[in-house]
Amino acid sequence: MKRSSLVVAATLAASALLLGGCSASGSSSSPTTGTVNLLGPEDPKTFAPVIAGFEAANPGDTVKYTQVPFDQLSSTLQQRLAAKDSTIDVYAVDQPNIPQLAAQGFLEDLSDLQSKEKAATSDAQYKINLYNGKMWALSVWNSTQLMFYNKDALAKAGVQPPSADPAQRWTWEQTETAARAAQAAGIKNGLLMEQVEAYYQLQPLMESLGGGSGITGKQMLTPAVETAGWQKAMQWYADTFASGLSPRGVGGFQTSPVFSNGDVAFFVGGPWDVGNFAQNAKFDWGVAPLPYFEGGKQVTPTGSWSWGINPASTKKDLAKKFLEYAALNPEGNLLTAKNTTIIPSVTEAEKKYLPTLEALGGAHSAGVEKLVAYEVTHTAVARPVSVGYVQFDSVMSKAFADIRNGADVKSRLAQATQQLKDAWSQLK
């Protein structure tokens, strides 16, 4: 997922709704032809192919797309959905925000499509749309993470590069040893993560060591960021910066040029970086699976965007027809990714897309097709489903930044625990 999670506090209205649970707005008679109003943060050209495909398959129907800048999307949705603005029919939902939006009554219940969604996509992508046993959105895009490596730097250090075969996945311990050897041979940085302070990319560290997601409890509103796995993973993370293995002072998504400039041996990034490095890296590079800790679980991130229907829409049937085309129909779902390097969520669309992704990098990206397909099916772990995820992401991003910059791991995680308890006290 090439983006940071939306950071906005849940409203008190959400807590009130939580006390009574979620209720579906119900299906009512509405037009089945006409214009669907779609709202999202992407450039209009991104969704031009899927809109054209839907309109060609459904004469008489049109789709009007409105772009809202990413950093304004959350506040825009809160204002317009709370006002029961019927001019939004379908809108893009950052997947971890689904529980909050559902609790606020801002998503139409799509449980009648639950069996179709389960059959169409991966288990992780199916479950991310569920809250309180109901389905509130449909996945449109998916993601995973890969480890890119500077083959020239490893050769200079006498290090045999990792394989793209997930059966030969390296551990973080192996990666660290190789990265330090590359530094000793002259490269500036040994290891760098693209989303260096983002929970999405750091979650696999804690999960690999059995630390859990960081959220637990019946209501998924109990902090669990001080487990042994979290402590060990965060200490390893802190040490990579303290030792100089990883550079401080480089923000998330400012990191890929460091790799493409030839200044880092190992880089953790997304599928979108295949095309990026194919264009910009002037050295020999390759792709390998995301590492795991020795003796731990193999875990990779997953998730991206889903689309949901506004309960205030007066064209719910038409909106659902478009949503099913984009999120359940393999050909339609493939078109959502035509102008991106994001993985389509529908399994059949993914199969058609991945050969194109692998071809972007030529010999550099050999093995990506099978690797991504394997990760999505076997190692993908979604972010936790909690109505308090928005606050969790905000609190932990700040904690990760502090730990990266030298804060004591144990005391900073304890502080984060208290911050989460305070934030979530209004939601119980």
Side-chain angles (χ1 to χ4, degrees), residues 73-105:
L73 179 63
S74 183
S75 59
T76 298
L77 288 174
Q78 288 290 324
Q79 292 169 5
R80 294 180 63 178
L81 296 174
K84 300 188 183 302
D85 185 344
S86 63
T87 62
I88 300 173
D89 299 311
V90 179
Y91 66 93
V93 186
D94 195 8
Q95 288 177 340
N97 296 340
I98 290 172
Q100 178 189 330
L101 291 165
Q104 291 177 278

Side-chain angles (χ1 to χ4, degrees), residues 292-346:
Y292 69 107
F293 285 107
E294 184 176 349
K297 184 179 179 182
Q298 298 181 5
V299 177
T300 54
T302 192
S304 185
W305 291 93
S306 291
W307 288 357
I309 294 176
N310 175 15
S313 168
T314 59
K315 296 173 284 187
K316 293 177 187 176
D317 291 335
L318 179 59
K320 185 177 288 189
K321 182 165 66 170
F322 173 62
L323 183 57
E324 289 188 69
Y325 177 81
L328 294 177
N329 182 302
E331 297 304 320
N333 186 240
L334 184 62
L335 290 174
T336 68
K338 185 175 181 180
N339 286 341
T340 74
T341 47
I342 301 293
I343 306 167
S345 60
V346 173

Side-chain angles (χ1 to χ4, degrees), residues 77-267:
L77 288 174
Q78 288 290 324
Q79 292 169 5
R80 294 180 63 178
L81 296 174
K84 300 188 183 302
D85 185 344
S86 63
T87 62
I88 300 173
D89 299 311
V90 179
Y91 66 93
V93 186
D94 195 8
Q95 288 177 340
N97 296 340
I98 290 172
Q100 178 189 330
L101 291 165
Q104 291 177 278
F106 293 165
L107 284 168
E108 181 77 2
D109 183 356
L110 299 176
S111 297
D112 59 323
L113 299 177
Q114 197 163 328
S115 60
K116 291 183 179 180
E117 173 76 343
K118 187 173 184 178
T121 191
S122 67
D123 186 58
Q125 279 299 287
Y126 161 71
K127 290 179 178 177
I128 198 67
N129 296 301
L130 300 177
Y131 177 67
N132 277 358
K134 296 180 179 180
M135 175 158 285
W136 301 97
L138 299 183
S139 297
V140 173
W141 288 343
N142 197 1
S143 69
T144 190
Q145 292 290 285
L146 309 166
M147 185 168 74
F148 298 86
Y149 58 87
N150 185 321
K151 194 176 292 187
D152 289 345
L154 296 186
K156 186 177 179 180
V159 174
Q160 183 69 26
S163 169
D165 184 354
Q168 299 181 49
R169 187 187 308 268
W170 276 18
T171 63
W172 283 115
E173 291 85 353
Q174 285 177 284
T175 305
E176 181 176 348
T177 298
R180 294 195 186 282
Q183 281 184 301
I187 200 164
K188 185 176 181 180
N189 305 297
L191 173 66
L192 185 58
M193 294 188 178
E194 184 168 37
Q195 299 177 54
V196 68
E197 294 166 0
Y199 176 80
Y200 164 80
Q201 199 170 66
L202 298 180
Q203 180 186 4
L205 300 179
M206 290 75 84
E207 297 272 14
S208 179
L209 289 168
S213 70
I215 305 179
T216 190
K218 186 176 180 180
Q219 291 182 289
M220 288 296 284
L221 288 171
T222 301
V225 300
E226 296 181 79
T227 63
W230 267 76
Q231 298 276 2
K232 186 175 180 180
M234 283 292 95
Q235 191 59 61
W236 179 87
Y237 170 76
D239 290 345
T240 64
F241 297 101
S243 68
L245 183 71
S246 301
R248 287 172 173 157
V250 183
F253 289 116
Q254 299 172 352
T255 49
S256 61
V258 182
F259 181 80
S260 57
N261 288 340
D263 292 330
V264 63
F266 293 98
F267 180 85

